[in-house]
């Protein structure tokens, strides 16, 4: 039983540790990573923290989760018995205000999250990469989970000569040895620990320079040289636009972007180093359906909103995600057009409205709000605020806000004070309605959108409300969005002429016209040639379904098309080829085996998830697929893990697979 004294001690310790920033100011961290064991998934090295004491305090801690080794010295004297509780390294000393200290930590850890060893046991790309957003960097690096403590991190990493090592900051030196190279990266300004990052893999790179002289380094797999342009399209243009639009120079020395395998999210805005999912590496066709432009712009905007100025807590998370979403939209408006901007705002409004209707709406200042709220409602707040105060005041307020709080942490009130000072009026009513209320002000949002002729046209064109005008809408020169809406509403009334309305409308036809009349067969077949993998996939399936006599010719035509990086077209082709009677009967087993091969860890989780879904549609799982599904249910990517676990549970209830699955579980 714990004594009253021990309980009081724990409470005192918790309060002291949670408020360490009031007593201790960590200034710099020089990191030397020289132990990376790809067989044991270990990483280690030494880190030297320089810090000042602001108030007398009896202990200082560094966050470190489940470390295997922690050897510590303070001011060059070894700490003989350091305290370590599995989460924090604690140094107890009579630390005096005004004094400067130097803390060295030698460590080794097998990270359970935040740093991932990918591909070393299979044929996937051999990589090591980090994802520390929130407070997870402490799983691989002794660091400070409190995002309010900003530190200048310099990283040196030693690794095999055959690999590129990329980290925050400028590469100032490479020491090349016979087997390994030591890479020295330097950051000039402080940042929160969750933004420390590294990526190791086999890459080439291309470099452009912004109008302001900032190097823009864009990494890619050597085999993807033909995908560099469509993947990174508009990068320099967007960078130059954001610097001008925000009015504050890019705050870091350089900017790097690196695709990685099986990433947990679309992208992550580590300081000067965005890491993003290689699913966004696309060819010129894939660009039309699933490009990197929005993610590119969003993560770049974070270099100001989130990295230069950082929220104090989750209650102000919209200051990062809402701003990044909004400025990404402004950037895309400059790249594409005004209609694109209003269309995305319209989509955001519908999503927020739907969220409210499901009873899931929350205040924008609720730290437990959904991503939809933080990102999309946050973007709407800024759009509405600019309309209210005017563009000139809005832009100047944003500039003042960034300059005043650069390399610091902020709350929502800090931003609105800057706006109110220029606007000359209280914005309490605006804040109450747009930020604090649990429901999104949908009607006001729609009133704003209807100032756009493009949105007016889209809302007006509605076959469900005005059925008598459907034929007119189908022939009228409407926007692609409006015409696609009509196609989805009345697919049975599509005529040959509608096929001439551009790639987006043709995509809508492929998705919506499931029952293909013979009179449209020739035009529908032309969809297989469209520069859209979404269109090709839908058209192949629908043609195969509607015209059994043409199945062999459709399969022959599409046999070499892979589709996106998740092989969407190829996997559909394999399913159809496998089930089509009298089509290459001698290769049926080959088709099935290829489909099963895509469930293995040699491929990215997007490919694997597609393959599992295809096998589920066929209702056939062999032993190899079941083994791979069990392995997938342990995957570090939580979305893929959840999908795989649910499917495995469903198959466990099927008498055909119960015994095999139980055997697999017992072996593991």
């Amino acid at each position: 039983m714990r004594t009253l004294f021990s309980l009081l001690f724990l409470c005192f310790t918790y309060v002291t540790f949670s408020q360490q920033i009031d007593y201790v100011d960590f200034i710099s961290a020089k990191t030397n990573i020289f132990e990376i064991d790809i067989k044991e998934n270990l990483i280690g090295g030494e880190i030297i923290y320089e810090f000042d004491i602001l108030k007398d305090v009896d202990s200082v801690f560094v966050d470190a989760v489940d470390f295997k080794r922690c050897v510590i010295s303070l001011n060059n004297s070894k700490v003989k018995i350091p305290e370590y509780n599995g989460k924090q390294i604690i140094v107890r000393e009579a630390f005096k205000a005004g004094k400067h200290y130097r803390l060295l930590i030698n460590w080794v850890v097998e990270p359970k999250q935040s740093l991932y060893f990918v591909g070393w046991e299979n044929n996937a790309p051999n990589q090591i990469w980090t994802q520390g957003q929130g407070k997870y960097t402490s799983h691989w690096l002794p660091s400070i989970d409190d995002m309010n403590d900003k530190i200048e991190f310099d990283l040196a990493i030693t690794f095999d000569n055959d690999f590129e090592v990329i980290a925050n900051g400028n590469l100032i030196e490479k020491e090349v040895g016979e087997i390994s190279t030591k890479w020295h990266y330097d950051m000039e300004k402080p940042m929160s620990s969750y933004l420390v990052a590294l990526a190791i893999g086999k890459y080439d790179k291309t470099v452009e320079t912004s109008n302001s002289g900032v190097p823009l380094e864009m990494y890619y797999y050597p085999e993807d040289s033909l995908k560099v342009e469509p993947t990174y399209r508009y990068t320099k243009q967007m960078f130059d636009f954001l610097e001008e639009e925000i009015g504050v120079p890019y705050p870091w020395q350089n900017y790097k972007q690196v695709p990685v395998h099986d990433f947990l999210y679309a992208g992550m805005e580590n300081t000067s180093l965005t890491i993003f999912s290689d699913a966004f590496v696309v060819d010129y066709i894939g660009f039309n359906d699933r490009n990197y432009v929005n993610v590119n712009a969003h993560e770049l905007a974070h270099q100001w909103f989130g990295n230069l100025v950082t929220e104090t807590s989750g209650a102000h998370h919209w200051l990062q995600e809402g701003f990044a979403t909004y400025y990404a939209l402004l950037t895309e408006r400059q790249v594409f057009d005004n209609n694109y901007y209003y269309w995305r705002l319209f989509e955001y409004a519908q999503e927020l409205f739907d969220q409210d209707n499901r009873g899931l709406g929350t205040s924008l200042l609720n730290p437990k709000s959904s991503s939809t709220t933080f990102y999309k409602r946050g973007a709407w707040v800024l759009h509405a605020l600019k309309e209210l105060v005017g563009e000139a005041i809005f832009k100047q307020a944003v500039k003042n806000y960034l300059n005043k709080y650069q390399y610091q942490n902020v709350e929502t009130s800090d931003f609105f004070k800057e706006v109110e000072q220029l606007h000359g009026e209280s914005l309490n009513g605006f804040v109450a309605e747009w930020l604090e209320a649990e429901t999104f002000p949908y009607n006001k949002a729609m009133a704003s959108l209807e100032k756009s002729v493009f949105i007016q046209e889209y809302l007006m064109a509605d076959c469900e409300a005005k059925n008598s005008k459907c034929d007119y809408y189908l022939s009228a020169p409407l926007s692609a969005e409006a015409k696609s809406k009509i196609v989805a509403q009345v697919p049975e009334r599509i005529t040959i002429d509608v096929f001439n309305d551009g790639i987006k409308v043709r995509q809508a036809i492929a998705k919506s016209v499931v029952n293909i009349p013979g009179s449209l067969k020739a035009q529908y077949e032309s969809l297989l040639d469209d520069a859209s993998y979404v269109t090709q996939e839908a058209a192949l399936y629908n043609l195969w379904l509607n015209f059994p006599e043409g199945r062999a010719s459709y399969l022959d035509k599409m046999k070499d098309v892979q589709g996106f990086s998740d092989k969407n077209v190829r996997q559909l082709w394999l399913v159809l080829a496998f089930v089509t009677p009298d089509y290459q009967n001698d290769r049926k087993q080959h088709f099935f085996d290829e489909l099963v091969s895509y469930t293995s860890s040699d491929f990215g989780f997007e490919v694997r998830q597609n393959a599992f879904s295809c096998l589920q549609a066929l209702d056939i799982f062999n032993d190899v697929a079941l083994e791979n599904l069990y392995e997938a249910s342990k995957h570090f990517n939580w979305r893929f893990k959840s999908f795989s676990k649910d499917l495995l549970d469903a198959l466990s209830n099927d008498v055909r697979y119960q015994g095999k699955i139980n055997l697999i579980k017992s072996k593991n």
Side-chain angles (χ1 to χ4, degrees):
M1 178 179 290
R2 291 180 176 179
T3 66
L4 177 61
F5 176 80
S6 65
L7 289 172
L8 288 173
F9 175 78
L10 286 172
C11 292
F12 173 76
T13 301
Y14 172 77
V15 171
T16 301
F17 289 169
S18 66
Q19 297 176 348
Q20 176 169 260
I21 192 171
D22 295 332
Y23 295 83
V24 185
D25 180 18
F26 282 88
I27 298 168
S28 67
K30 294 193 180 300
T31 305
N32 184 12
I33 296 172
F34 49 77
E35 294 185 47
I36 299 179
D37 187 332
I38 59 176
K39 292 183 179 179
E40 300 296 329
N41 290 358
L42 298 174
I43 186 168
E46 288 187 346
I47 186 167
I48 300 173
Y49 278 106
E50 304 276 348
F51 62 92
D52 291 330
I53 297 299
L54 306 177
K55 303 176 185 177
D56 288 357
V57 68
D58 62 1
S59 61
V60 169
F61 74 88
V62 173
D63 296 299
V65 179
D66 294 334
F67 278 38
K68 293 180 176 294
R69 182 181 78 219
C70 301
V71 180
I72 306 165
S73 67
L74 181 66
N75 289 347
N76 299 319
S77 297
K78 185 176 180 180
V79 178
K80 293 182 179 180
I81 309 178
E83 293 185 38
Y84 180 58
N85 58 20
K87 293 183 179 180
Q88 294 168 326
I89 299 166
I90 306 161
V91 180
R92 297 198 183 275
E93 181 84 14
F95 293 100
K96 296 299 181 181
K99 296 291 186 180
H100 183 82
Y101 293 85
R102 181 178 184 269
L103 176 66
L104 183 148
I105 303 171
N106 182 291
W107 89 96
V108 168
V109 64
E110 180 185 356
K112 299 299 188 292
Q113 62 186 82
S114 82
L115 183 141
Y116 301 90
F117 293 82
V118 178
W120 299 96
E121 297 179 351
N122 51 50
N123 293 319
N126 297 160
Q127 296 177 348
I128 301 170
W129 47 260
T130 60
Q131 169 55 23
Q133 183 168 21
K135 52 182 180 180
Y136 301 117
T137 296
S138 58
H139 286 257
W140 67 274
L141 179 73
S143 53
I144 309 298
D145 286 343
D146 189 342
M147 67 179 67
N148 290 276
D149 201 344
K150 296 202 170 190
I151 303 164
E152 182 205 330
F153 283 91
D154 297 331
L155 276 72
I157 307 110
T158 302
F159 199 71
D160 189 296
N161 283 341
D162 292 335
F163 291 81
E164 294 290 312
V165 175
I166 308 149
N168 313 88
N170 276 334
L171 177 62
I172 57 174
E173 185 182 5
K174 282 174 63 176
E175 299 178 49
V176 181
E178 292 185 7
I179 299 174
S180 60
T181 298
K182 186 174 184 179
W183 304 66
H184 295 262
Y185 282 95
D186 174 61
M187 280 295 297
E188 297 175 357
K189 299 293 184 180
M191 61 180 174
S192 300
S193 295
Y194 78 90
L195 295 167
V196 178
L198 65 85
I200 298 174
K202 294 191 175 182
Y203 294 101
D204 287 337
K205 73 174 177 180
T206 184
V207 182
E208 293 188 72
T209 303
S210 73
N211 290 345
S212 59
V214 176
L216 311 176
E217 302 177 26
M218 293 162 277
Y219 287 82
Y220 60 92
Y221 304 146
E223 64 270 23
D224 286 338
S225 60
L226 296 180
K227 297 180 180 179
V228 173
E229 190 284 323
T231 298
Y232 288 112
R233 189 174 294 171
Y234 306 124
T235 292
K236 180 183 180 303
Q237 179 181 343
M238 294 192 295
F239 189 99
D240 292 336
F241 169 78
L242 279 175
E243 277 206 307
E244 181 177 349
E245 176 68 22
I246 294 171
V248 175
Y250 176 76
W252 317 103
Q253 310 101 308
N254 57 0
Y255 186 55
K256 301 178 283 281
Q257 298 181 80
V258 185
V260 299
H261 192 70
D262 276 354
F263 197 52
L264 279 66
Y265 305 102
M268 177 61 201
E269 69 280 4
N270 311 294
T271 307
S272 78
L273 169 58
T274 285
I275 295 176
F276 68 97
S277 167
D278 60 11
F280 288 101
V281 176
V282 295
D283 60 19
Y284 75 97
I285 294 177
F287 179 87
N288 294 324
D289 297 316
R290 188 188 297 174
N291 60 60
Y292 177 56
V293 173
N294 179 262
V295 177
N296 190 342
H298 182 98
E299 308 308 337
L300 177 56
H302 268 309
Q303 299 299 325
W304 287 268
F305 305 105
N307 297 7
L308 179 61
V309 292
T310 308
E311 66 192 46
T312 57
S313 69
H316 308 284
H317 193 48
W318 82 278
L319 291 174
Q320 299 185 180
E321 298 302 348
F323 270 80
T325 303
Y326 178 68
Y327 275 89
L329 271 186
L330 293 181
T331 305
E332 289 179 290
R333 179 171 67 180
Q334 197 268 343
V335 167
F336 300 123
D337 56 34
N338 225 33
N339 290 348
Y340 180 92
Y341 172 80
Y342 283 108
W343 175 247
R344 293 308 301 272
L345 281 176
F346 175 77
E347 289 182 318
Y348 294 173
Q350 302 313 307
E351 190 174 339
L352 289 160
F353 184 60
D354 178 65
Q355 178 176 259
D356 285 347
N357 285 339
R358 289 182 286 117
L360 301 176
T362 56
S363 162
L364 189 56
L365 303 180
N366 183 339
K368 296 183 179 180
S369 289
S370 67
S371 294
T372 296
T373 298
F374 284 133
Y375 288 62
K376 296 169 183 178
R377 185 170 177 176
W380 256 106
V381 163
L382 297 174
H383 171 82
L385 181 62
K386 182 188 284 186
E387 284 197 334
L388 176 65
V389 303
E391 183 168 5
I393 287 177
F394 179 85
K395 291 179 72 170
Q396 187 61 50
V398 170
K399 184 176 180 179
N400 293 349
Y401 162 74
L402 290 173
N403 284 327
K404 182 175 181 178
Y405 296 104
Q406 59 182 323
Y407 311 110
Q408 298 179 53
N409 296 78
V410 288
E411 297 183 352
T412 298
S413 60
D414 295 322
F415 171 64
F416 276 95
K417 285 175 185 175
E418 298 304 315
V419 184
E420 286 179 332
Q421 187 171 352
L422 295 172
H423 182 51
E425 297 180 24
S426 170
L427 292 170
N428 289 345
F430 178 91
V431 170
E433 181 174 29
W434 283 90
L435 283 79
E436 295 176 344
E438 292 194 350
T439 57
F440 173 68
Y442 178 75
N443 290 335
K444 287 198 172 181
M446 291 305 297
S448 171
L449 287 174
E450 287 173 14
K451 298 173 185 177
S452 162
V453 174
F454 164 74
I455 295 296
Q456 290 176 23
E457 176 192 90
Y458 178 83
L459 295 173
M460 173 271 297
D462 189 347
C463 280
E464 293 177 353
K466 302 174 183 177
N467 190 268
S468 62
K469 291 189 175 183
C470 283
D471 291 335
Y472 165 74
Y473 292 146
L474 286 171
S475 61
L478 301 178
S479 68
E481 289 77 11
K483 187 69 68 74
S484 296
K485 172 184 172 183
I486 301 303
V487 167
Q489 289 178 336
V490 288
E492 73 282 358
R493 297 171 77 160
I494 302 304
T495 63
I496 292 175
D497 291 340
V498 183
F499 282 81
N500 299 321
D501 286 330
I503 190 170
K504 289 184 179 179
V505 176
R506 289 170 64 85
Q507 188 176 98
I509 293 172
K511 291 179 178 179
S512 303
V513 182
V514 177
N515 299 312
I516 309 168
S519 60
L520 296 181
K521 180 183 177 185
Q523 284 71 30
Y524 204 101
E525 289 173 340
S526 72
L527 296 174
L528 294 175
D529 296 314
D530 275 23
S532 164
Y533 292 132
V534 170
T535 300
Q536 290 180 14
E537 180 184 10
L540 173 60
Y541 179 73
N542 289 332
L543 285 165
W544 182 91
L545 205 61
N546 280 266
F547 304 109
E549 71 282 2
R551 287 175 176 175
S553 64
Y554 300 139
L555 291 170
D556 286 345
K557 179 179 178 63
M558 303 300 289
K559 62 183 175 64
D560 295 323
V561 180
Q562 298 293 314
F564 298 115
S565 60
D566 62 5
K567 298 181 181 291
N568 65 313
V569 179
R570 179 61 182 175
Q571 295 201 51
L572 171 63
W573 188 95
L574 289 169
V575 170
L576 298 181
F578 181 73
V579 301
T580 300
D582 300 324
Y583 183 75
Q584 298 189 24
N585 287 333
D586 59 331
R587 291 180 57 77
K588 296 293 188 186
Q589 188 63 47
H590 172 81
F591 298 151
F592 182 77
D593 289 345
E594 182 183 342
L595 187 59
V596 169
S597 74
Y598 293 141
T599 67
S600 83
S601 57
D602 291 345
F603 297 92
F605 76 85
E606 301 94 346
V607 176
R608 301 177 71 189
Q609 187 163 314
N610 271 358
F612 286 129
S613 295
C614 288
L615 292 174
Q616 186 178 22
L618 290 172
D619 197 22
I620 306 174
F621 285 84
N622 65 7
D623 291 355
V624 173
L626 291 174
E627 289 271 6
N628 290 337
L629 182 60
Y630 177 79
E631 182 274 331
S633 71
K634 309 295 182 182
H635 200 274
F636 60 80
N637 186 296
W638 66 270
R639 291 182 178 88
F640 180 51
K641 176 181 178 179
S642 177
F643 165 87
S644 302
K645 188 177 183 304
D646 288 345
L647 179 55
L648 188 68
D649 289 345
L651 294 180
S652 296
N653 295 321
D654 189 319
V655 294
R656 293 173 297 168
Y657 305 120
Q658 284 176 348
K660 293 178 181 179
I661 291 173
N662 288 335
L663 181 61
I664 291 169
K665 289 181 177 179
S666 67
K667 290 192 302 183
N668 293 277

